[in-house]
């Protein structure tokens, strides 16, 4: 029997994608597709885990028990998202420990947004409203991603993100309707998180090196700029509703396109943060490394227990 040519395998693969048939772990896939998914899903997993830090910072200082319980649940959800996503990378043959080492050694990226500090309680509102809001805009289309395990993980993640976005908006709404000082806190948080939230969608389309191929493979269903625009269009009216001002004096509604037009994004700031020079990059990675060191005894104990159990099972078999 003649060996199947690479060209035939590749054209069958692309034809499945074109017909919206999911690619599953044991299916043939081009190595570049596998590597692109490992890159994107691991960056996504790292973002969830690093993303626990700025909010975890406020659990002990939440203003009341209800807020504390909700924030605690949200941060736990993010740990869960990280775990589904690391599991999804394992279905592609990646090694979780190696991916985590890549993060700790600065070889892997994670979302730029988590390198900004959380200075006040209102930042918990701004993160839920804007950061989770941006995350949903980006992740709902990922539920239709061509790779089955990633698409299925995203369905649950998006349900939880939607709850996160609402809890954030509710915090902002309460502060915006509160005392003048509380309203000022909410406005200050919006001022600091607005531009970093827009940067979450990635470089603009002209400079996004992966978009064209990822769209062809239906890993991405929209470009970075399309999703960023959708986010601006839904978020500006929400700010108006609660009486807060988007920190962009050039922001205007364009009747011709039915979209808001914003000032240009500061891409220099974005790349500085992505390349490790943001306000909190070092602090975030140091915290992750410390968590790994501090958890070593738990992993060692779990391994020792597993070895003991399997020895007992062998003896009693
Ligand atoms: N920050 O060609 P591009 C969350 C990198 S977690 C850092 O457009 P692509 C949440 C990009 O990786 C949110 N790096 O790439 C958690 C690439 O670098 P490499 C995370 C960024 O992949 C807790 C280079 O720039 N969401 O929601 O086509 C609490 C060129 O970019 C960023 C996801 O990860 C950035 N913002 O598009 C609350 C979603 N943007 O790898 C909330 C899944 C770009 O070539 N990921 N880069 O060295 C995606 O949808 C896509 O990967 C992106 C980028 C839209 C982010």
């Amino acid at each position: 029997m003649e060996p199947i040519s690479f060209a035939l395998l590749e054209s069958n693969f692309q034809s499945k994608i074109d017909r919206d048939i999911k690619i599953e772990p044991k299916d043939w896939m081009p190595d570049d597709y596998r590597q692109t998914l490992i890159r994107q899903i691991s960056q996504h997993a790292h973002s969830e885990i690093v993303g626990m830090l700025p909010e975890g910072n406020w659990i002990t200082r939440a203003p009341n028990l209800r807020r504390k319980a909700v924030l605690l649940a949200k941060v736990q959800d993010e740990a869960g998202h990280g775990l589904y996503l690391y599991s999804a990378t394992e279905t592609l043959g990646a090694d979780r420990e190696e991916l985590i080492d890549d993060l700790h050694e600065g070889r892997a990226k994670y979302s730029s947004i988590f390198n900004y500090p959380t200075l006040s309680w209102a930042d918990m509102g701004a993160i839920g409203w804007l950061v989770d809001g941006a995350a949903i805009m980006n992740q709902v289309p990922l539920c239709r991603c061509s790779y089955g395990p990633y698409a299925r993980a995203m369905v649950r993640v998006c349900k939880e993100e939607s709850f996160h976005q609402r809890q954030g908006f509710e915090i902002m709404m309460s502060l915006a309707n509160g005392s003048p000082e509380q309203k000022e806190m909410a406005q200050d948080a919006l001022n600091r998180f607005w531009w970093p939230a827009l940067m979450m969608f990635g470089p603009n389309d002209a400079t996004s090196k992966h978009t064209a191929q990822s769209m062809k493979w239906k890993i991405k269903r929209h470009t970075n700029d399309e999703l960023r625009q959708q986010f601006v269009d839904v978020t500006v009216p929400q700010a108006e509703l609660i009486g807060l001002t988007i920190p962009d004096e050039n922001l205007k509604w364009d009747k011709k396109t039915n979209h808001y037009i914003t000032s240009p994004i500061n891409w220099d700031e974005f790349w500085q943060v992505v390349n490790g020079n943001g306000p909190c990059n070092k602090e975030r990675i140091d915290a992750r490394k410390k968590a790994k060191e501090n958890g070593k005894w738990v992993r060692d104990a779990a391994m020792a227990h597993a070895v003991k159990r399997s020895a007992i099972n062998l003896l009693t078999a």
Side-chain angles (χ1 to χ4, degrees), residues 48 72-82 84 160 163-164:
E48 297 283 355
L72 192 59
K74 177 184 193 288
V75 174
Q76 279 179 340
D77 285 350
E78 280 145 15
H81 300 172
Y84 313 147
E160 292 175 351
F163 152 70
H164 297 170

Side-chain angles (χ1 to χ4, degrees), residues 3-18:
I4 306 172
S5 73
F6 178 80
L8 184 61
L9 284 168
E10 203 169 27
S11 90
N12 284 345
F13 167 82
Q14 188 62 47
S15 143
K16 272 168 86 177
I17 292 195
D18 295 342

Side-chain angles (χ1 to χ4, degrees), residues 39 43 78 109 112 135 138 200 202 208-210 220 224:
R39 176 186 65 78
Q43 287 176 0
E78 280 145 15
K109 294 190 168 73
S112 48
N138 166 274
M200 280 177 74
S208 163
K209 59 183 170 175
H210 299 297
K220 286 170 88 162
N224 299 352

Side-chain angles (χ1 to χ4, degrees), residues 39-40 43-44 47-48 51 55 74 78 109-112 114 131-132 135 138-139 142 150 161 199-203 208-211 214 220 224 270-271 274:
R39 176 186 65 78
Q40 176 167 326
Q43 287 176 0
H44 193 165
S47 305
E48 297 283 355
E55 290 174 292
K74 177 184 193 288
E78 280 145 15
K109 294 190 168 73
Y110 58 92
S111 185
S112 48
F114 302 115
V131 176
D132 289 271
N138 166 274
Q139 289 169 23
L142 290 175
Y150 191 27
E161 298 289 23
M199 292 175 196
M200 280 177 74
F201 293 92
S208 163
K209 59 183 170 175
H210 299 297
T211 295
S214 289
K220 286 170 88 162
N224 299 352
F270 170 75
W271 289 115
V274 170

Side-chain angles (χ1 to χ4, degrees), residues 107-160:
R107 293 185 291 269
K109 294 190 168 73
Y110 58 92
S111 185
S112 48
I113 190 75
F114 302 115
N115 293 307
Y116 291 86
T118 43
L119 305 177
S120 80
W121 169 251
D123 291 8
M124 298 305 97
I127 289 184
W129 174 36
L130 302 175
V131 176
D132 289 271
I136 298 170
M137 203 53 91
N138 166 274
Q139 289 169 23
V140 166
L142 290 175
C143 299
R144 293 190 298 121
C145 158
S146 57
Y147 186 58
Y150 191 27
R152 290 188 288 272
M154 277 303 114
V155 173
R156 174 152 175 193
V157 169
C158 284
K159 285 188 181 145
E160 292 175 351

